[in-house]
Amino acid sequence: MVLKSKTAEANFDSLLRIFTVPEGPGSTLTQIEEEISQNLNQFLREHIVSEEKPLKAIEQDFLASQIPEQPVFVSEHTQHLLDKVVAQSVHTSAPSFIGHMTSALPYFLMPLSKIMIALNQNLVKIETSKAFTPLERQVIGMLHRLIYTDREDFYTQWMHSANHSLGAFCSGGTIANITALWVARNNALKAQGAFQGVEKAGLFQAMKHYGYEGLAILVSERGHYSLKKAADLLGIGQQGLVVIPTDEHNKIKPDALKATIRRLKQQRILPFAVVGVAGTTETGNIDPLAEMAAICQQEQCHFHVDAAWGGATLMSHQYRHLLNGIECADSVTIDAHKQLYLPMGAGIVLFKSPASSHAIEHHAQYILREGSKDLGSRTLEGSRSGMAMLVYACLHIISRAGYELLINESIQKAAYFADLIRQQDDFELVSEPELCLLTYRYVPKQARLALQHSSGDTLAQLNQQLNELTKFIQKKQRESGKSFVSRTQLTPKRWHYLNTIVFRVVLANPLTTKDILHAVLEEQRHIATQAPSLLRQIEHSATAILSDNI
Amino acid sequence: MVLKSKTAEANFDSLLRIFTVPEGPGSTLTQIEEEISQNLNQFLREHIVSEEKPLKAIEQDFLASQIPEQPVFVSEHTQHLLDKVVAQSVHTSAPSFIGHMTSALPYFLMPLSKIMIALNQNLVKIETSKAFTPLERQVIGMLHRLIYTDREDFYTQWMHSANHSLGAFCSGGTIANITALWVARNNALKAQGAFQGVEKAGLFQAMKHYGYEGLAILVSERGHYSLKKAADLLGIGQQGLVVIPTDEHNKIKPDALKATIRRLKQQRILPFAVVGVAGTTETGNIDPLAEMAAICQQEQCHFHVDAAWGGATLMSHQYRHLLNGIECADSVTIDAHKQLYLPMGAGIVLFKSPASSHAIEHHAQYILREGSKDLGSRTLEGSRSGMAMLVYACLHIISRAGYELLINESIQKAAYFADLIRQQDDFELVSEPELCLLTYRYVPKQARLALQHSSGDTLAQLNQQLNELTKFIQKKQRESGKSFVSRTQLTPKRWHYLNTIVFRVVLANPLTTKDILHAVLEEQRHIATQAPSLLRQIEHSATAILSDNI
């Protein structure tokens, strides 16, 4: 027994060591850190996927369901992580990884993020964050000003006001969008007479009190899927997310929006929020925000702009006009982990009015006492990390002018790529880039001609074959690990609204060169030859169409 | 013009450099990183607050609302961060920071977190996470097994199943609790006949279809404030969070719970979820989970256990019995950033049934296609970081046995501190520790005697004066920066349910020694002498009470 207890004590002592500040540059931990850095640098110089392995095979390394009973050394486990996790990860910041909105990270964020992790501040309350709280408020103020360009004294008055928030840091755009719509819902169904407001009395009582039959959030058919989640979560129901058609440039049709609002109101359904998209996920287009804002003001709807991806464009004097009207939005979502080049986990919602977020205020006895400057009283989340510090660092080190260079370069690169695609006789540009996102597909020369001359079933059949080919190419390209584009499904007017599968490219990585873009097309063209039977089917369909048309 | 364009090009080239892998150990960035490490190690060896400054003064450093127009060097900005942010932060992992659930971090997490930041994986979909997806599924499986102890073949079948999730990683306990209650709400109001379910048709239609007058979530009066947020967000309304009284040990009264469920049902209010607390935030007590589970089964309510803080106790063979009944919960919240010693941002919700989360499933065209293993289709959040990797590393490096040592030590240390407080004649233990959390207050000797002999207004007056003293001591102690305890407000039965302000102590840091606990009491006793007029008032009240009683 004595022996056992002594062992326990010895074990506890060795556990204590893992919580103790390591001494000096020669420590084991410092050596491990150097090894990690070298390995990561190696990885980040290489291909997108260092080793192509089917998911099923990777899963074999992650089958144990029992928490290990015995500890392993840090060095040993580090090696395991490098072999089994790093080596089997996706190099999302590779210059040829042009398929998603996750892009390259500035290298200075690696050492700086150490500060965030080591200090482990909790932004929910001042007591566990201190300087991080005013810092976060400042970052929110800066992004607010980027959008709303209010005057200096506005920020002097509100930025650090205990009872107000100009916005909220969130784990991502989904939480930011949900927060905005939560505020909108609560403000639309607020206390009145004996009714205590939806936040207290709930949605059922609110609907009965106001005499509504339903609630609606309106967004274009290109809206992000998080809005459907929001409608579900907030009790409105996914059917309450009313989808408005877009024009051939994937922008909402203002007339249709207006007509739908009127129709809903006649049905006693309250369209309490309209969402404008500033950079749709699938095509990168921006809704006519100013027109939408005018409609919202007239119809008294909360106007939210989901600029999760495109919001960073405001940094560019040259292109910020593309988002004209955003300054009229009641709330705006921006993801710093997209075009502000931050690591994952930095969504932000901004509110035009410092008082908006009162609608979601919560207090408790042990924290968030009224009048405190604790940020947690007006956020959806509770405990939160000091991610704002990294945004703060990027805003200073890159600066507005630096961001402008990055944004302009991205947009111009997308225009270049669009031109390049147009020059090919076996590629088809499906959606034009407005920012740095475009979609296209590979269409053999003869099939391109046939598409022009077909309709009905023959068009549908050929299009379906092309869809199969696009899927094949995208999958093979991903698996070969040299480059990556994503894919999605659109319904272009040109092809009679048929479901059309396309390659989707996002050109935010400043290291992506023109050579890489040329190589991507070459690679796709080459992969197509690996699907001879699909190509034959396409050729067959095309020939039939063309011979019918002669 | 040519010159201007050349400058822009030169600027862009220097921007490119920040995205390029730094070369070798002599690079500027490596030097900066070393400087940061040294500075952080220095900071982490020091007091809780290196420099006491009022918040107003700190805010002066964060007043600018304009995003800087010109870039600054990384080295220059790093120095700024060290001076203005690090130096003015709270050292949450100091051994004498015993006031919150945020505790020390194992040092190996600093180098390992580099992997997370540098790889910047996005867990929403396989395409941007690869090995991280099976890794996260495994971590969820391990924690599921820790709670539910299902057999090996259960995990073989479900852990990596594309159409199922045993749980979800969240940014924190708030999102985890909301996710659980969202699932519960949607399962309680599911599709039936022509009604398409609350997720599609919304809450108003659901209530009409099912003929309910309201919905309720039941929890003890010690439930976390995030539940109120959840009730608001989900459209139930804060009034739908029905609070059940607790016994003198801060545990829910099962009879009251049962009676309330019955009463609500008679009122056609559906009590669709009951939340058991496994470690209340204010007193650290655990509800009688097994009894609650039995009631929930009988009454057909979803049983959720909020074990955000206490869940880690399951690692201890010696103490896991304290949570008996948790294995009957339909869902459980555990925060890895609390007693699993992870950095901020690691909440997890676990579901007993692999099918539970179907109730919140969402899909899109470009990601989360049906049948894919993308984790994003059953999480509240969208894009998410690779935090699961750090949990994975801790589970391996610390191991089950290591966590047991940490948990046991914390619980035993709290018992020691409780004894120590009991031995003092001028301190009063207000809530006994069940895990490693306790509350107490400083009560001068004479006042302790007087409390025993008073009631009504005189008791209330004395208690109020003691509240002022507790607030004074806690504030001074925090400001002096040597140690930190938090405070909250309880209503102890012993003091006739009067609002009683108490010190709140959480002893999770393994480096907190017995000497520190002794010193904390000494410090508080000493601070009390700095409030002579408060002490005189207390003495006066006490003397009056005691002389009346003689």
Side-chain angles (χ1 to χ4, degrees), chain A residues 327-349:
Chain A
E327 70 285 359
C328 304
D330 297 296
S331 54
V332 174
T333 290
I334 293 184
D335 270 354
H337 58 237
K338 295 197 169 104
Q339 291 200 77
L340 290 179
Y341 300 93
L342 268 289
M344 212 41 65
I348 301 138
V349 60

Side-chain angles (χ1 to χ4, degrees), chain A residues 19 70 97 125 213 247 328 398 443:
Chain A
F19 289 94
Q70 292 300 324
F97 184 92
K125 49 188 175 287
E213 277 301 311
D247 63 19
C328 304
I398 299 178
V443 185

Side-chain angles (χ1 to χ4, degrees), chain A residues 18 37 65 69 80 90 100 107 114 121 127 145 160 171 185 196 232 239 373 381 392 400, chain B residues 18 37 59 62 65 69 80 90 100 107 114 121 127 145 171 185 196 232 239 381 392 400:
Chain A
I18 66 175
S37 299
S65 58
E69 190 60 29
H80 169 79
V90 184
H100 281 299
Y107 264 82
K114 215 168 177 170
Q121 307 288 287
E127 287 177 352
R145 191 163 183 173
H160 292 286
S171 66
R185 187 201 68 182
Q196 294 192 273
D232 173 356
Q239 290 164 356
K373 293 200 173 183
E381 291 159 278
Y392 177 87
R400 205 279 314 154
Chain B
I18 67 175
S37 299
E59 280 172 2
F62 301 97
S65 57
E69 191 58 32
H80 169 79
V90 184
H100 281 298
Y107 264 81
K114 216 169 179 171
Q121 306 290 286
E127 286 177 351
R145 190 163 182 173
S171 66
R185 187 201 67 182
Q196 293 190 274
D232 172 356
Q239 291 164 355
E381 292 160 277
Y392 177 87
R400 205 279 314 155

Side-chain angles (χ1 to χ4, degrees), chain A residues 176-233:
Chain A
N177 280 340
I178 292 171
T179 303
L181 293 169
W182 183 24
V183 164
R185 187 201 68 182
N186 286 10
N187 279 326
L189 303 172
K190 62 175 140 223
Q192 187 184 62
F195 171 65
Q196 294 192 273
V198 66
E199 69 275 20
K200 293 207 172 64
L203 210 52
F204 186 56
Q205 298 304 328
M207 303 292 278
K208 289 203 290 188
H209 171 80
Y210 280 102
Y212 299 131
E213 277 301 311
L215 296 174
I217 301 165
L218 284 71
V219 69
S220 94
E221 53 186 324
R222 293 270 160 265
H224 190 253
Y225 73 95
S226 63
L227 300 171
K228 216 167 168 184
K229 247 190 234 185
D232 173 356
L233 192 72

Side-chain angles (χ1 to χ4, degrees), chain A residues 362-404:
Chain A
H362 283 260
H363 295 284
Q365 268 306 323
Y366 41 104
I367 54 166
L368 321 179
R369 289 181 276 260
E370 276 187 75
S372 83
K373 293 200 173 183
D374 295 344
L375 287 162
S377 45
R378 285 178 295 273
T379 56
L380 201 165
E381 291 159 278
S383 296
R384 285 185 303 105
S385 77
M387 182 61 87
M389 190 209 72
L390 297 184
V391 184
Y392 177 87
C394 280
L395 292 178
H396 283 84
I397 295 172
I398 299 178
S399 84
R400 205 279 314 154
Y403 275 118
E404 162 136 32

Side-chain angles (χ1 to χ4, degrees), chain B residues 147-445:
Chain B
I147 296 166
Y148 295 108
T149 62
D150 280 308
R151 288 179 350 178
E152 191 70 37
D153 55 354
F154 175 91
Y155 298 96
T156 309
Q157 185 172 3
W158 302 115
M159 204 159 73
H160 293 285
S161 164
N163 296 314
H164 299 83
S165 298
L166 297 177
F169 257 79
C170 308
S171 66
T174 295
I175 299 292
N177 280 340
I178 291 171
T179 303
L181 294 170
W182 183 24
V183 164
R185 187 201 67 182
N186 286 9
N187 279 327
L189 303 171
K190 64 173 141 226
Q192 187 185 63
F195 171 66
Q196 293 190 274
V198 65
E199 69 276 19
K200 293 208 172 62
L203 210 52
F204 185 56
Q205 298 305 329
M207 302 293 278
K208 289 203 291 188
H209 172 78
Y210 280 103
Y212 299 130
E213 277 301 311
L215 296 173
I217 302 165
L218 284 71
V219 68
S220 93
E221 53 186 325
R222 293 271 159 264
H224 190 252
Y225 72 97
S226 63
L227 301 171
K228 217 168 167 183
K229 249 191 231 182
D232 172 356
L233 193 72
L234 292 167
I236 291 147
Q238 294 168 24
Q239 291 164 355
L241 186 75
V242 178
V243 165
I244 310 293
T246 52
D247 62 19
E248 65 270 36
H249 302 296
N250 297 293
K251 291 164 185 279
I252 197 168
K253 291 180 175 171
D255 290 346
L257 172 64
K258 205 165 179 172
T260 307
I261 292 176
R262 301 265 161 95
R263 178 177 58 74
L264 289 168
K265 283 184 175 175
Q266 278 163 13
Q267 297 168 1
R268 303 201 61 73
I269 294 171
L270 180 72
F272 72 98
V274 169
V275 180
V277 192
T280 70
T281 313
E282 291 171 290
T283 63
N285 294 108
I286 301 158
D287 277 335
L289 303 179
E291 279 179 82
M292 293 178 83
I295 293 170
C296 287
Q297 196 175 9
Q298 200 179 358
E299 301 289 342
Q300 303 210 332
C301 308
H302 179 110
F303 182 38
H304 175 65
V305 173
D306 181 357
W309 178 66
T313 312
L314 295 169
M315 295 279 193
S316 162
H317 290 338
Q318 191 174 347
Y319 292 108
R320 76 167 280 153
H321 68 88
L322 293 173
L323 275 70
N324 274 354
I326 197 171
E327 70 285 358
C328 303
D330 296 298
S331 55
V332 173
T333 290
I334 293 185
D335 269 354
H337 58 237
K338 295 197 169 106
Q339 292 200 76
L340 291 179
Y341 299 94
L342 267 291
M344 212 43 66
I348 301 137
V349 59
L350 289 316
F351 294 108
K352 182 175 191 165
S353 157
S356 279
S357 59
H358 288 165
I360 57 165
E361 206 163 275
H362 283 261
H363 295 284
Q365 268 307 322
Y366 42 103
I367 54 167
L368 319 180
R369 288 182 276 260
E370 277 189 72
S372 83
K373 294 201 172 182
D374 295 345
L375 287 162
S377 45
R378 285 178 295 271
T379 55
L380 200 165
E381 292 160 277
S383 295
R384 285 185 304 104
S385 76
M387 182 60 89
M389 190 209 70
L390 297 183
V391 183
Y392 177 87
C394 280
L395 292 179
H396 283 84
I397 294 173
I398 300 179
S399 84
R400 205 279 314 155
Y403 275 118
E404 161 136 33
L405 286 173
L406 292 169
I407 296 287
N408 293 358
E409 168 78 10
S410 296
I411 293 177
Q412 286 151 17
K413 202 185 292 169
Y416 174 87
F417 194 39
D419 274 343
L420 187 67
I421 292 165
R422 270 191 223 97
Q423 287 160 24
Q424 316 298 313
D425 53 16
D426 52 356
F427 280 94
E428 180 197 14
L429 187 68
V430 179
S431 68
E432 297 271 346
E434 191 169 357
L435 299 175
C436 68
L437 197 164
L438 57 82
T439 66
Y440 67 104
R441 60 176 176 170
Y442 175 73
V443 185
K445 202 172 160 182

